[in-house]
Each structure stands twice: as C-alpha cells, then as structure tokens.
Amino acid sequence: MSTKLSVNINKIATLRNSRGGQKPDVLQAAIDCQLFGADGITVHPRPDERHIRYSDVRAIAPIINTEFNIEGNPKEDKFVDLVLEVKPHQVTLVPDAIGQLTSNHGWDVIKHQEYLVKTVALFQKHQIRVSVFVDPDSYMAAAAADTGTDRIELYTEAYAKHYPQDRMKAIKPYVDAAQAAMYKGLDINAGHDLDLDNLRFFASQIPQLKEVSIGHALISDALYYGLENTIQLYKRQLQ
Ligand code: PXP
C-alpha cells in the first residue's frame, strides 16, 4: 500500500487571517483537497490561533470523508478538550512551545514518559489513534513504544535540509529510527519540510511509511501549479 498524503491546511488559514475576512475559504479548501485526491486533512491549532482556529477545526470535522489528523501540544487543556470533542481519526502529539514559529523538535519520550503514557491512553480510550512526534533518533523512536502510542511521526526537517548535499547521509538516521520503531511494533508517519524534490526518495527508503503530512511546500507549489495538480504531483511521488 502506498503512503497516504495528508494535506496540512494551516497555511491557508494563515493567509486568510492576514486580511481578517473569509478568503481563502478554509472549509472549502479542506473539501477541495479531498476532492483533488488528498488521503487526509491535517490541522495544527496553536494556543494563539494565529494559523488554524479552534472554530475552523470544529467546522471542518463534519466534512471529512478521508482521514482527519489534529496536531498539537496536549499540555494545553484547550487542545485536549478540542480533540476529545472533535474525535479525529488521529491525534499527533507535538511538544511545541506557545508562540513557536513552527515545530522544531520531537519529544524526549523518556523524560516525558509518564506524562505521555497517561495522555496517549486518554486519547486511545476515545478511539483516537495516537502518533508521537520524534526526532530521527533510534533510541527515542524505540522508546516511544513505551508510551503506548500507535505511531511515531518522524520530524523530517534535518532530512530536508541535508538532502541536497548528500541524500544517503540525510536519510540514514530516518531508516534506522524507522526500523527501531517498527521492531517495537509502531507504525511510521513523517512530516516537516517535505517537498516535491525530497519526498519520493524519503518514501522509497522507508517503504513501510504510512502517512506524510505536508503543508508549507505543497500550498506554496499550489500558487504555481494549482491545488488539484499539486496534490496529484505529490501523490505521484508516493507511488
Ligand atoms: N508535522 C508537524 C508535527 C508539524 O508541526 C508540521 C508543521 O505544522 C508539519 C508536519 C508539516 O510541515 P510543513 O508545513 O513543513 O510541510
């Protein structure tokens, strides 16, 4: 089975928020992404709602006919309440600080193990699949299994950064981390800075990759190629 493409639509909300009106229409964008072939929709509500708003997440939930993935920091009670109310297919736990530009590190799953065990169990009790965001570190990837999580999401910023110089070197820690996690029975997602240049190689080296979530590059490419073509171009990289 090929890797699923979940389109992160935060950037569309960011553009809308820059003018204060309703353009571009975030709900319509979610509908269209699915129509154009996305296998899922990802949103990442942050406490200051500067990107996607909590009200957007509530409005989008009923129109999802693919897979809904909500990312965020569960240390925010507001986030936990939202996820339990909306009941997406998957919640991705990300340790980002308030006001952080974008996610920039994975969990230390050992230091936060007790907290993560409790949090993962809470979401799973509500039939929500859990994915924990981790750096490409075999030790952390394997230890993530001790939190009870279903999946890990590998933070691909370093891969994307080093891919142009030496793609074999760039992918190595990811292949190792994915193997360590799979050995412990975890499924693998990935995301951050994946784009039309680096995506195919990443997916080819980690054939068990279940899902990628892509926002910034995909929405930027859509300015040139249109949203429908762009989604199809990304999907082709995953075949
Ligand atoms: N995964 C996580 C946990 C993220 O925080 C983000 C950015 O919101 C992404 C994936 C998508 O990254 P990008 O926008 O660079 O495609």
Side-chain angles (χ1 to χ4, degrees):
M1 242 192 64
S2 62
T3 304
K4 287 187 170 178
L5 171 66
S6 188
V7 175
N8 179 323
I9 58 170
N10 262 41
K11 266 295 105 91
I12 294 174
T14 308
L15 186 57
R16 176 201 60 193
N17 297 351
S18 69
R19 270 295 172 96
Q22 283 310 313
K23 270 188 196 165
D25 186 325
V26 173
L27 182 62
Q28 191 61 47
I31 294 169
D32 290 336
C33 285
Q34 296 183 113
L35 203 62
F36 298 156
D39 304 302
I41 300 294
T42 291
V43 291
H44 191 146
R46 290 195 159 85
D48 58 9
E49 302 192 69
R50 67 189 189 279
H51 303 148
I52 204 93
R53 297 179 186 136
Y54 281 54
S55 57
D56 292 324
V57 179
R58 291 191 176 93
I60 291 165
I63 62 88
I64 297 291
N65 56 22
T66 54
E67 190 189 276
F68 201 21
N69 174 42
I70 305 184
E71 301 173 346
N73 192 334
K75 292 218 163 143
E76 292 293 322
D77 288 343
K78 229 170 93 172
F79 176 82
V80 175
D81 293 346
L82 178 75
V83 174
L84 294 181
E85 177 194 329
V86 166
K87 289 199 175 45
H89 302 88
Q90 177 175 272
V91 60
T92 301
L93 309 183
V94 185
D96 52 0
I98 293 175
Q100 198 164 294
L101 182 63
T102 183
S103 312
N104 64 359
H105 63 283
W107 288 95
D108 181 335
V109 294
I110 296 166
K111 188 167 161 201
H112 298 283
Q113 186 182 348
E114 205 181 313
Y115 166 75
L116 284 169
V117 165
K118 259 193 329 206
T119 310
V120 166
L122 171 67
F123 291 123
Q124 287 174 338
K125 198 171 92 188
H126 290 82
Q127 283 80 48
I128 301 166
R129 186 174 71 228
V130 182
S131 181
V132 170
F133 195 51
V134 292
D135 294 328
D137 174 321
S138 300
Y139 190 58
M140 281 296 161
D146 298 331
T147 67
T149 190
D150 304 284
R151 295 189 184 186
I152 54 166
E153 178 178 324
L154 290 171
Y155 174 38
T156 47
E157 195 257 352
Y159 165 73
K161 190 167 164 207
H162 297 116
Y163 175 88
Q165 287 83 43
D166 186 342
R167 64 183 194 170
M168 288 313 293
K169 199 168 158 197
I171 196 73
K172 176 83 168 69
Y174 292 86
V175 171
D176 293 347
Q179 271 167 3
M182 281 183 299
Y183 185 70
K184 292 278 192 169
L186 298 175
D187 284 328
I188 316 290
N189 294 342
H192 223 284
D193 289 330
L194 294 173
D195 65 19
L196 282 176
D197 290 327
N198 61 35
L199 180 59
R200 183 184 290 283
F201 184 69
F202 190 88
S204 73
Q205 297 300 302
I206 304 180
Q208 305 86 345
L209 185 64
K210 287 271 190 243
E211 178 183 299
V212 287
S213 63
I214 307 184
H216 184 78
L218 189 152
I219 301 302
S220 303
D221 288 334
L223 289 173
Y224 290 91
Y225 306 130
L227 190 55
E228 183 167 10
N229 279 328
T230 303
I231 289 174
Q232 288 301 315
L233 285 169
Y234 274 80
K235 284 201 63 167
R236 223 172 288 159
Q237 308 306 309
L238 296 169
Q239 280 164 4

